[in-house]
Amino acid sequence: MPLPLVVLSHLRWDFVFQRPQHVLSRLAQTRPVTVVEEPVYDADAAPYLEPIEAAPGVTVLRPHTPVDEPGFSDAQIAVVEPLLRRWAVETEALGACDAWTYTPLATPLLDAVEPRAVVYDCMDELSAFDHAPPELLERERDLLGRADLVFTGGPSLYRAKKDRHPDVHCFPSSVDAAHFGQARPDRAAALAEPADQRGIGRPRLGFFGVIDERLDRDIVATLAAARPDWEVVMVGPVVKIDPESLPQAPNLHWLGGKTYDELPAYLAGWDVCLLPFAQNRSTEFISPTKTLEYMAAERPVVSTPITDVAEPYGEIVRLGATPSEFVTACDAVFLAGDAERQRRAEAMRAVLAKTSWDATAAGMARLLDGASSSSAAPVAQTLSHV
């Protein structure tokens, strides 16, 4: 019988529906899942854990503390650890659960639940992001020494981690093909046009996702300026950057964040899908989930040549490294003949036929079940010489 799973996450469950929600909601079909989020500042209350029923089988614990510091800082850990230990004792999870973490910064909290097995699901190289805490790299060393399994969100991260732990597995982010397949050209008419996109002309080139330091704002600005007869639609919450720094133009539309359920209706109204990622340290290891989501809608995709897009999908996705090259790649979409469009659409279908979130979660679960039931010495002991 699978053990309960305690998850430590720097991402809020109700922010953007992405890899953690896809994987954990599926794991929760066979074991209870408790997600411990980053603390929120609550100056007027004694520290406590707010339980939230997030999804079937998934409970979120949101710590409220009087510590006015972001994330899992040392000061926050000192307050949250006894709260979580008390919860583990009261729920009988102490020493009778598995643990799963998305952030090395939460590593000290593993002591509060004393898990049987530990998984590090490495989605991003968090140390490369702007304003990353200096202790993150040290915490990751600790986590790699303690983890039984390491999963990576793409091949570039796998190459970066495979020599740092004896049991690393590449699980690229997958796709709910049925959900985004609603936006396929042969099905899109069934979706109502969102009100804030209805008045925007065609052709439309669109992006959805978190808008932060990983977005190449020069590319977005150049695209809008170079082709004023095109409409550029940007969907997603703006975080960690000043909204005033976003380029503005009559044909550039910042529509804000949308729910996961709303995304296919926006996607259905786009002629080209964009991945205008900056090429810098923060994007060196990213593997955008939206690449396959765009493919499920069978829409042409134009991207900068980030590794986890260019290497596996260079024959499907058009690439442009500079602003002018990106515009040229978008031009090529509209110049392509029917045969070329069909070839790329068939290649997209072939990619999607090989992956699903169900298969990804099932593969992870098999490895975790094996690690949890193993009587072998903990990985931390085998790495004690490192």
Side-chain angles (χ1 to χ4, degrees):
M1 186 73 177
L3 294 174
L5 186 63
V6 176
V7 180
L8 308 174
S9 179
H10 62 295
L11 299 167
R12 301 217 178 274
W13 187 273
D14 57 4
F15 178 46
V16 174
F17 201 91
Q18 52 187 310
R19 179 186 179 99
Q21 290 88 339
H22 279 294
V23 170
L24 298 176
S25 61
R26 286 164 172 82
L27 295 180
Q29 295 173 12
T30 58
R31 64 171 81 207
V33 173
T34 301
V35 180
V36 182
E37 291 186 344
E38 287 186 339
V40 295
Y41 177 55
D42 195 338
D44 299 324
Y48 70 99
L49 299 175
E50 176 192 5
I52 302 167
E53 297 306 314
V58 179
T59 300
V60 167
L61 294 181
R62 183 169 294 167
H64 290 246
T65 80
V67 179
D68 191 10
E69 291 185 8
F72 290 111
S73 67
D74 287 344
Q76 293 284 20
I77 292 286
V79 176
V80 174
E81 196 273 342
L83 293 176
L84 187 57
R85 181 174 292 275
R86 188 179 311 126
W87 169 87
V89 170
E90 291 173 351
T91 60
E92 299 182 342
L94 187 67
C97 68
D98 293 328
W100 186 294
T101 183
Y102 285 102
T103 172
L105 290 174
T107 301
L109 290 179
L110 294 172
D111 293 332
V113 295
E114 300 178 12
R116 186 89 56 89
V118 175
V119 173
Y120 174 25
D121 190 6
C122 183
M123 288 175 52
D124 297 292
E125 189 63 77
L126 296 176
S127 63
F129 285 18
D130 286 353
H131 314 299
E135 66 269 22
L136 198 150
L137 289 176
E138 180 181 353
R139 292 270 178 88
E140 185 177 59
R141 283 192 293 271
D142 293 342
L143 178 55
L144 288 169
R146 184 162 185 174
D148 298 274
L149 293 167
V150 177
F151 301 149
T152 69
S156 58
L157 268 176
Y158 173 77
R159 290 193 289 267
K161 306 298 180 187
K162 67 181 179 65
D163 294 329
R164 301 185 61 197
H165 189 278
D167 206 357
V168 182
H169 303 263
C170 184
F171 281 100
S173 288
S174 189
V175 63
D176 183 343
H179 183 67
F180 289 96
Q182 299 176 84
R184 279 174 39 176
D186 59 338
R187 302 173 183 171
L191 295 174
E193 183 86 59
D196 57 352
Q197 185 168 273
R198 198 173 299 144
I200 299 174
R202 305 291 286 263
R204 292 189 199 130
L205 296 83
F207 166 90
F208 64 68
V210 176
I211 295 168
D212 58 17
E213 76 271 21
R214 294 170 295 176
L215 181 75
D216 191 321
R217 284 163 275 182
D218 288 341
I219 283 181
V220 175
T222 299
L223 184 61
R227 299 292 182 267
D229 54 330
W230 293 353
E231 303 292 338
V232 181
V233 178
M234 305 294 290
V235 171
V238 179
V239 301
K240 297 192 292 182
I241 61 173
D242 183 357
E244 296 297 318
S245 70
L246 299 175
Q248 302 295 322
N251 62 328
L252 180 51
H253 310 273
W254 303 93
L255 301 187
K258 308 298 175 184
T259 68
Y260 182 76
D261 288 342
E262 292 174 310
L263 293 179
Y266 285 90
L267 188 49
W270 298 348
D271 302 287
V272 182
C273 294
L274 306 175
L275 293 168
F277 286 107
Q279 296 172 83
N280 57 32
R281 191 161 176 265
S282 70
T283 62
E284 184 179 356
F285 299 103
I286 65 169
S287 183
T289 305
K290 64 184 64 61
T291 309
L292 296 186
E293 293 169 346
Y294 290 164
M295 288 188 192
E298 294 189 6
R299 303 286 161 161
V301 183
V302 177
S303 177
T304 49
I306 56 174
T307 303
D308 284 4
V309 173
E311 284 188 1
Y313 309 126
E315 295 301 311
I316 302 174
V317 173
R318 288 178 171 85
L319 303 172
T322 66
S324 62
E325 289 174 359
F326 199 91
V327 174
T328 299
C330 292
D331 284 333
V333 171
F334 296 105
L335 295 172
D338 289 343
E340 175 63 9
R341 288 176 178 269
Q342 183 63 25
R343 181 192 72 79
R344 289 180 189 257
E346 290 175 354
M348 291 177 183
R349 291 176 205 139
V351 168
L352 295 175
K354 299 175 183 177
T355 184
S356 71
W357 281 118
D358 287 342
T360 297
M364 291 173 160
R366 282 192 296 271
L367 290 168
L368 175 55
D369 290 345
S372 182
S373 62
S374 174
S375 59
V379 171
Q381 293 182 15
T382 67
L383 294 182
S384 60
H385 66 282
V386 177

